[in-house]
Amino acid sequence: MSSGFAIVNCAQLVTLSGPARPRTGAEMRELGMVENGALLIRDGRIEAVGGREEIERRLSANDTVLDAQGRIALPGFVDAHTHPVFAGTRCAEFELRSQGATYEEIAAAGGGILETVRQTRRATGDELFEAALRRQQWFLRNGTTTVEAKSGYGLALDDELKILRVIRRLNERGPVRWVPTFLGAHAVPEEFRDNRRAYVELVCEVMLPAVASEHLARYCDAFCEPSAFSIDETRTVLRRAASLGLGLRVHADQLTCSGAAELAASLGAATADHLEQTSDAGIAQLRAAGVQPVLLPASVYALGRTRYPRARDMIEAGLAIVLATDFNPGSAPTPSIPMVLSLACTQMHLTPAEAITAATINAAWSVGLGHETGSLEPGKRADVLVADCADYRKLPYFFGVEHAWVVVAGGEVAFRR
Ligand code: NIG
Ligand code: FE
């Protein structure tokens, strides 16, 4: 038997144990909490969860024990929507926005996503990898152990492949687990400004087949917005992706209500993301099609906007909502799920329990890893956050605090304060 690793003396062990599917309605408030709990890890997996005595009885001489000293333990967060591989920053635009310029004005003037594309095209794969590794450390320090990562700052075959290969390299290196998504339809690049049809064709007939044949992505996403890709263009890209075996995610109804949620439903997408402007009809169709909404309040906050997605209505409608950071250099420069939990409770009126469910087990299902992570249950990968507080409600309550005390990813201590 290989040596084990036990975490004991947790005032609250927030397991999120329950049915093997995304949680909806009242289930989102059930955290499967064990008081004075402990857990045992062996070979990178959770072997047992229970009371302290029960776990201590199973220990053998060469096992390691971490005494949590009355802190809480919960599943490592799953961040289901990020854009983490890019060069440079957009500090200058941030400063302009602080003076009143809007995100759309900056994009229309050739800044925004295209500014990051210019910088990312100039960077080598090694440079992008080094920058992403520093960001991996930011995710870990905030308790995140699984990250969905989109391309989309290349917008040319070689540059998109460069980004996706960086994500593959990150995943091979660990300890964070990365889920790759191809986002060639993020913006129309400058050189195709007068010929967008040709760009959509390039995405469909050149980029997507190359991405699929190298198995570089599990999902395909598209920015469906009148200022980015129309409903028809998005449909064309996502249908092609589905025919190549990729799962689908959609940036939907972020800035305008354009019917993107309905499109996500009609395509059977795994997720529809953002949804700040989505109508009742859109919510109903997401529900009917079993699409998970991925809500990104940090981008609303960082853009200085006030219209948050209608999370309460979505929960009432029976949708298995997810919360994520949207980490990116433009609209959401934060890797912090705890910050997102705070925004979810204060701006969207989720309870702390609902918010934690949305950023763990529901997020795990939304990236196809519901059987692997997102809850502390025997057999799952040992992704655990030990947070420096004794009550899970303090995670969203004390905001701007670095809560993580120890973070375990795949059974290894990946961060220790
Ligand atoms: O999710 N909306 C489009 N994409 C990102 C922003 C990317 C950027 O500004 O660089 C988002 O908000
Ligand atoms: Fe995004």
Side-chain angles (χ1 to χ4, degrees):
M1 194 165 57
S2 64
S3 65
F5 175 41
I7 304 176
V8 302
N9 202 7
C10 302
Q12 298 178 337
L13 188 72
V14 179
T15 68
L16 277 300
S17 67
R21 54 167 173 72
R23 312 291 161 75
T24 57
E27 291 170 353
M28 290 195 68
R29 297 184 184 210
E30 289 162 20
L31 295 179
M33 196 147 82
V34 182
E35 280 174 31
N36 291 315
L39 89 171
L40 178 60
I41 298 166
R42 224 178 270 289
D43 296 322
R45 302 255 152 201
I46 297 171
E47 187 174 275
V49 175
R52 180 176 187 162
E53 290 72 36
E54 193 185 331
I55 296 299
E56 282 180 343
R57 266 200 308 276
R58 301 176 70 129
L59 288 176
S60 43
N62 52 351
D63 291 343
T64 315
V65 178
L66 174 72
D67 185 342
Q69 299 163 325
R71 295 180 176 84
I72 66 168
L74 64 156
F77 295 123
V78 177
D79 195 338
H81 181 137
T82 83
H83 309 246
V85 182
F86 58 86
T89 69
R90 304 233 290 277
C91 288
E93 292 180 4
F94 178 71
E95 190 172 21
L96 289 174
R97 283 193 283 113
S98 77
Q99 305 296 295
T102 68
Y103 183 73
E104 292 95 317
E105 283 163 7
I106 290 169
I113 293 169
L114 295 182
E115 171 57 27
T116 299
V117 170
R118 281 189 286 276
Q119 301 193 59
T120 304
R121 284 180 175 177
R122 282 198 294 269
T124 65
D126 284 343
E127 287 163 348
L128 292 171
F129 181 71
E130 290 305 319
L133 272 187
R134 288 193 294 278
R135 294 169 198 147
Q136 165 168 278
Q137 203 54 30
W138 288 359
F139 284 110
L140 284 171
R141 291 179 73 93
N142 282 287
T144 297
T145 50
T146 303
V147 182
E148 185 267 5
K150 303 174 197 299
S151 66
Y153 293 120
L155 310 186
L157 176 66
D158 288 348
D159 295 301
E160 285 294 305
L161 294 178
K162 176 175 73 179
I163 293 168
L164 290 169
R165 288 180 189 132
V166 167
I167 299 168
R168 181 169 61 193
R169 221 170 127 190
L170 290 166
N171 205 21
E172 283 164 2
R173 182 187 181 279
V176 162
R177 170 173 312 196
W178 300 83
V179 179
T181 295
F182 170 63
L183 178 56
H186 196 194
V188 175
E190 261 148 356
E191 62 279 17
F192 284 91
R193 195 179 350 179
D194 300 318
N195 195 1
R196 28 188 321 124
R197 274 180 70 134
Y199 184 66
V200 172
E201 197 178 312
L202 181 72
V203 169
C204 291
E205 301 313 324
V206 179
M207 294 190 201
L208 269 169
V211 167
S213 77
E214 248 190 85
H215 301 289
L216 280 169
R218 225 191 271 190
Y219 292 94
C220 178
D221 193 343
F223 186 13
C224 186
E225 186 69 39
S227 59
F229 292 88
S230 68
I231 294 280
D232 284 345
E233 290 166 339
T234 304
R235 186 189 298 110
T236 301
V237 169
L238 295 183
R239 276 206 182 137
R240 181 77 176 116
S243 78
L244 292 165
L246 297 178
L248 308 182
R249 319 180 83 80
V250 192
H251 280 71
D253 300 335
Q254 178 186 12
L255 307 170
T256 53
C257 179
S258 67
E262 289 86 337
L263 176 67
S266 75
L267 292 169
T271 67
D273 303 43
H274 280 288
L275 307 178
E276 286 87 334
Q277 319 292 332
T278 300
S279 66
D280 288 339
I283 291 175
Q285 291 192 32
L286 293 175
R287 167 76 177 102
V291 180
Q292 285 191 263
V294 179
L295 307 181
L296 308 165
S299 66
V300 181
Y301 166 78
L303 291 178
R305 293 169 165 256
T306 52
R307 180 158 170 163
Y308 286 83
R310 293 157 54 199
R312 279 255 65 87
D313 291 341
M314 293 179 194
I315 292 176
E316 302 317 321
L319 284 163
I321 67 163
V322 175
L323 286 166
T325 61
D326 196 13
F327 177 74
N328 75 70
S331 63
T334 181
S336 172
I337 289 282
M339 177 69 198
V340 168
L341 300 179
S342 167
L343 290 168
C345 296
T346 61
Q347 309 301 306
M348 291 152 61
H349 303 290
L350 265 57
T351 67
E354 289 170 333
I356 288 172
T357 301
T360 55
I361 188 67
N362 278 9
W365 285 108
S366 85
V367 296
L369 293 175
H371 288 292
E372 271 290 286
T373 190
S375 64
L376 302 179
E377 295 179 277
K380 282 198 169 179
R381 198 176 113 107
D383 295 333
V384 189
L385 162 61
V386 184
D388 193 13
C389 57
D391 182 326
Y392 73 87
R393 293 173 299 186
K394 292 183 183 172
L395 288 176
Y397 168 71
F398 284 115
F399 69 96
V401 168
E402 293 199 295
H403 290 284
W405 186 64
V406 168
V407 179
V408 177
E412 303 297 324
V413 174
F415 173 74
R416 188 190 286 266
R417 189 160 311 277

